[in-house]
Amino acid sequence: MTDTAQHSTPESHPSPGRRCLVTGASGYIGGRLVPELLAAGHRVRCLARTPAKLRDHPWAARTDIVRGDVTDAATLAPALRDIDVAYYLVHGLGGRDFERTDREAASTFAEQARAAGVRRVVYLGGLSPRGVPDEELSPHLRSRAEVGRILLDSGVPTTVLRAAVIIGSGSASFEMLRYLTERLPVMVTPSWVRTRIQPIAVRDVLRYLVGSARMPDDVSRVFDIGGPDVLTYLDMMRRYAAVAGLPRRLILPVPVLTPRLSSHWIGLITPVPSSLARPLAESLRHEVVCHEHDIASLVPDPPGAPLPFDTALTLALQRVREADVTTRWSSASVPGAPSDPLPTDPDWAGGSLYSDTRERTVAARPEALWRVIEGIGGENGWYSFPLAWAVRGWLDRLVGGVGLRRGRRDAARLRVGDSLDFWRVEEIERGRLLRLRAEMRLPGLAWLEMYAERDEEGRTRYRQRALFHPHGLAGQAYWWSVTPFHAVVFGGMARSIARTAEASEAAGGAPSTTPPAPAATSPSATSPSATSPSAPSAPPGEAP
């Protein structure tokens, strides 16, 4: 049993499948929706700004992946051609003018969907409190409500699904709940922990999304979707503790923690950065409870659905403990984070491209070395001064970055587009190359490459290359200020990776999860420096 929707075979759907376009397929919900649509007998096209991010997904070969952007009408037109159902699953969640960006993107998408003759648009937004004026809503909820209205006014039949907290392995709401409850047996909490919420299991969200593809053409409206339980956040934390087998938590609500202060508190305790925690917390100021369940007349609930809150928690925890999390909240890109591919020209963009290269001969097969390389980060760490990396992660969190606690989606295997602590996997050549792009706050762009190769004499060779493209004087100053530490940090990293591979080869098994301990500590070459703030995108419908 999993925490995602149960797959059904195409044969169980006698009517012809729809041709579906999924935007946001690299995100939390989109990445889970695609295989569900395929299992329901639909044909799927994915729109992605960077198609390479989708290539390693197990369903990629069964879909048509096209390059495009919801803000670019020129790329939307061909992507929407011959499409029956278009899923709009993209949102901004921070940075400057994200509401304006959301508005313009939704308007462009609506216009192009109408021009292409799309039969239905399906949108997953946030559940808004009834009777609260838009100006009193959080910017996050206000923007999602506005996007829904724009799509409903498009002239294309539209299904707007409004969800509060989504409970599923890897969701931001679940991770926030999980870490707050597990790490703090005694909590001083903001007053919003007493706000009533109607959470929903991710498998029910996916079931409603898939079912919306076959709604009659005369249906165009908003539907509230939620589980059977209406709880306060206080109830949710106590029930999580019970399901997870933890002692009862002592929770003391206080009125002085504003959403801004709450977001910093959440950012310190959980892997969810404060830039994402703030809109989640702001959205909990008002009660978010469903006022109807009309969708059941069009997408009937099977026995036992919607799932109760405790069942959704159990399923999510099972997936986490089995290290079988399909997508995570961090699957979505971080707005403002660099997305340019690694430049090959040292004068790219008119500036310098600095590098630090380390090489070592390894007394192990390339396969053993590759296992260590692909297993880097998360619980295994970075093979060079854990304290320094931890401090670097904390400093990144303090300036609004993602920090070092995002961890890994999978303990052993990576795919292009995965978040990996404060890196993003940019390229993998399985068995040979792993290239990571930095998403921490830096005055420039940074990459880290690791290679498992053989030299001219047939020996295994580990090659490591850190690259930095500075932005302005601050970037130049940053590079030269950390250069003295490179020999210690990057040299130590190369030595530890080589030794771990050799130990694994000698043991005849997988690499140890505990890298060899270094002799000293030092700041990493990606030591702290802040640029303009940005915040990661939330999966659609993620925040209440």
Side-chain angles (χ1 to χ4, degrees), residues 117-183:
V118 170
R119 292 175 56 183
R120 176 163 299 278
V121 170
V122 181
Y123 169 64
L124 177 60
L127 186 58
S128 298
R130 176 169 290 184
V132 178
D134 282 359
E135 58 271 17
E136 294 182 20
L137 294 175
S138 70
H140 165 71
L141 278 185
R142 185 169 60 239
S143 180
R144 273 136 185 75
E146 183 182 23
V147 168
R149 290 192 295 270
I150 289 170
L151 296 175
L152 283 166
D153 292 341
S154 66
V156 179
T158 298
T159 301
V160 174
L161 304 179
R162 304 195 310 171
V165 171
I166 295 177
I167 300 298
S169 60
S171 77
S173 294
F174 174 74
E175 290 294 286
M176 193 168 99
L177 175 66
R178 173 188 167 208
Y179 278 87
L180 286 175
T181 309
E182 290 187 353
R183 292 186 172 180

Side-chain angles (χ1 to χ4, degrees), residues 167-317:
I167 300 298
S169 60
S171 77
S173 294
F174 174 74
E175 290 294 286
M176 193 168 99
L177 175 66
R178 173 188 167 208
Y179 278 87
L180 286 175
T181 309
E182 290 187 353
R183 292 186 172 180
L184 297 175
V186 179
M187 285 179 271
V188 176
T189 58
S191 58
W192 52 251
V193 298
R194 298 195 182 278
T195 301
R196 294 204 315 156
I197 309 161
Q198 191 164 353
I200 183 170
V202 68
R203 73 157 57 184
D204 286 315
V205 173
L206 295 171
R207 181 169 55 82
Y208 291 134
L209 285 167
V210 173
S212 295
R214 297 182 183 273
M215 283 188 177
D217 291 345
D218 61 351
V219 175
S220 186
R221 55 162 290 187
V222 172
F223 295 93
D224 291 351
I225 59 173
D229 302 291
V230 176
L231 309 162
T232 65
Y233 206 86
L234 185 67
D235 296 330
M236 290 168 61
M237 288 191 285
R238 286 176 172 162
R239 288 173 72 163
Y240 178 93
V243 169
L246 302 172
R248 183 179 174 86
R249 270 33 192 164
L250 178 60
I251 301 169
L252 307 172
V254 295
V256 296
L257 286 177
T258 65
R260 179 186 290 273
L261 290 174
S262 298
S263 67
H264 290 297
W265 169 67
I266 293 166
L268 289 173
I269 302 301
T270 81
V272 180
S274 57
S275 52
L276 176 55
R278 183 175 181 182
L280 294 173
E282 284 179 334
S283 300
L284 287 168
R285 290 181 301 175
H286 302 289
E287 181 177 280
V288 277
V289 175
C290 297
H291 295 280
E292 45 84 12
H293 190 51
D294 297 347
I295 196 169
S297 64
L298 296 163
V299 184
D301 294 320
L307 288 180
F309 178 72
D310 288 1
T311 305
L313 284 180
T314 300
L315 293 170
L317 277 169

Side-chain angles (χ1 to χ4, degrees), residues 297-366:
S297 64
L298 296 163
V299 184
D301 294 320
L307 288 180
F309 178 72
D310 288 1
T311 305
L313 284 180
T314 300
L315 293 170
L317 277 169
Q318 178 182 329
R319 293 293 289 270
V320 169
R321 289 166 178 170
E322 293 175 353
D324 187 22
V325 179
T326 308
T327 60
R328 302 171 70 226
W329 62 269
S330 55
S331 300
S333 298
V334 180
S339 58
D340 303 281
L342 176 67
T344 56
D345 182 354
D347 295 323
W348 172 70
S352 302
L353 183 64
Y354 297 118
S355 68
D356 179 277
T357 302
R358 309 279 162 174
E359 295 188 5
R360 294 190 68 84
T361 300
V362 182
R365 293 169 301 151

Side-chain angles (χ1 to χ4, degrees), residues 372-398:
V372 178
I373 291 172
E374 193 173 9
I376 201 166
E379 294 297 320
N380 288 342
W382 291 89
Y383 295 93
S384 180
F385 310 116
L387 178 61
W389 285 90
V391 169
R392 178 63 183 90
W394 277 99
L395 291 171
D396 192 56
R397 302 278 289 201
L398 289 175

Side-chain angles (χ1 to χ4, degrees), residues 96 335-338 392 396 399-401 439-445 468 470-471 474-475 478 528-534:
R96 298 176 181 175
R392 178 63 183 90
D396 192 56
V399 295
E439 289 192 332
M440 73 283 281
R441 299 300 179 86
L442 292 168
L445 306 177
F468 184 69
H471 286 169
Y478 164 78
S529 179
T531 56
S532 58
S534 63

